[in-house]
């Protein structure tokens, strides 16, 4: 446990950062994190641990974090496009660096859906929309239209300030994750597969490419 750190602990479907702690000429690899009341960084098995109270420097593994930021922002673009063009809400999702799935509540899949979604997403990436993050008081946040893009409101009742991730002109969501600064930084979105998981339950698998 550190008193402060730049490690993203995971949450909202985004996995935690990996990296290292540097102290006294040695390094502790960080391979996972847990968030309870405090943030716990999980060391690689067998790595040396600093003594309580020791000063350490942390370094986040940049290629992984950058890939996760691109993937997370890509999912918000997907979410925005599928809501705007097909009116479908998100029911779940998961991501790994450069690959992800998102589940939608969508009764029927129209012909050409996969191609239409992919094309519309990439149009938004080429448009280079800014991605802005701001915090709003809870009441104010929930007055924004369509702010909760997931089918159920997942923001706990005791959260007073809501963090909003705004892909300007496309999608606004309450979200705690890390994102790139504009949609062109995502790269390209490939819709790999659409799975029918039961009545109204469609799973879209995407890949993020350069
Ligand atoms: Zn998100």
């Amino acid at each position: 446990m550190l008193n402060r750190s730049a490690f993203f602990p995971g949450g909202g479907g985004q996995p935690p950062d990996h990296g290292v702690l540097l102290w006294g000429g040695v390094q502790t690899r960080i391979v996972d994190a847990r968030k309870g009341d405090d943030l716990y960084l999980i060391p690689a098995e067998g790595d040396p641990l600093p003594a309580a109270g020791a000063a350490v420097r942390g370094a986040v593994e940049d290629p992984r974090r950058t890939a996760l930021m691109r993937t997370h922002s890509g999912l918000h673009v997907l979410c925005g496009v599928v809501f705007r063009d097909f009116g479908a809400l998100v029911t779940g999702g998961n991501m790994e660096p450069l690959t992800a799935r998102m589940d939608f509540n969508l009764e029927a899949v129209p012909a050409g859906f996969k191609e239409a979604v992919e094309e519309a997403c990439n149009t938004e990436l080429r448009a280079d929309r800014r991605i802005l993050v701001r915090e709003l008081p809870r009441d104010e946040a929930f007055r924004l239209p369509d702010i909760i893009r997931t089918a159920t409101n997942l923001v706990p009742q005791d959260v007073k300030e809501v963090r909003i991730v705004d892909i300007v002109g496309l999608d606004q969501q309450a979200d705690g994750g890390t994102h790139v600064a504009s949609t062109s930084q995502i790269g390209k979105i490939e819709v790999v597969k659409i799975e029918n998981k039961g009545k109204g339950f469609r799973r879209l698998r995407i890949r993020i490419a350069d």
Side-chain angles (χ1 to χ4, degrees):
M1 257 169 59
L2 303 179
N3 63 339
R4 62 195 169 94
S5 95
F7 282 80
F8 179 69
Q14 183 179 336
D17 284 335
H18 292 176
V20 292
L21 300 182
L22 303 163
W23 51 280
V26 298
Q27 68 172 30
T28 306
R29 287 168 298 164
I30 299 300
V31 296
D32 201 356
R34 300 259 184 286
K35 183 120 174 72
D37 289 341
D38 291 301
L39 166 60
Y40 296 88
L41 302 178
I42 313 293
E45 210 171 319
D47 274 17
L49 294 182
V56 303
R57 253 176 354 119
V60 170
E61 190 186 307
D62 182 55
R64 174 185 165 85
R65 160 64 93 84
T66 300
L68 286 167
M69 287 162 64
R70 290 171 59 199
T71 308
H72 198 162
S73 297
L75 279 177
H76 282 220
V77 169
L78 176 70
C79 217
V81 161
V82 173
F83 181 76
R84 181 193 66 195
D85 297 351
F86 301 93
L89 293 172
V90 172
T91 55
N94 192 47
M95 77 190 84
E96 293 299 327
L98 305 183
T99 164
R101 65 168 171 80
M102 186 141 270
D103 300 334
F104 292 94
N105 186 353
L106 184 65
E107 280 303 318
V109 175
F113 177 71
K114 181 168 171 283
E115 293 72 21
V117 168
E118 184 172 288
E119 178 52 35
C121 284
N122 286 307
T123 299
E124 299 303 331
L125 304 196
R126 284 192 299 271
D128 198 19
R129 293 184 183 275
R130 285 185 307 156
I131 303 177
L132 304 177
V133 174
R134 63 187 190 280
E135 294 209 335
L136 290 178
R138 188 184 181 93
D139 297 353
E140 209 176 308
F142 292 137
R143 279 199 299 271
L144 297 173
D146 304 324
I147 198 64
I148 300 300
R149 199 54 59 80
T150 47
T152 47
N153 184 343
L154 299 173
V155 181
Q157 278 303 321
D158 60 345
V159 173
K160 300 278 181 276
E161 290 276 306
V162 179
R163 184 174 179 271
I164 305 291
V165 173
D166 183 5
I167 302 180
V168 177
L170 177 67
D171 181 84
Q172 288 194 95
Q173 288 185 49
D175 185 80
T178 67
H179 289 268
V180 294
S182 79
T183 60
S184 68
Q185 294 177 6
I186 295 167
K188 282 201 190 82
I189 293 178
E190 296 169 11
V191 179
V192 179
K193 204 171 168 193
I194 296 170
E195 297 166 26
N196 186 349
K197 308 293 276 186
K199 197 174 183 306
F201 180 179
R202 317 289 160 174
R203 175 164 289 170
L204 272 73
R205 294 189 182 277
I206 64 166
R207 201 166 27 227
I208 305 296
D210 290 333

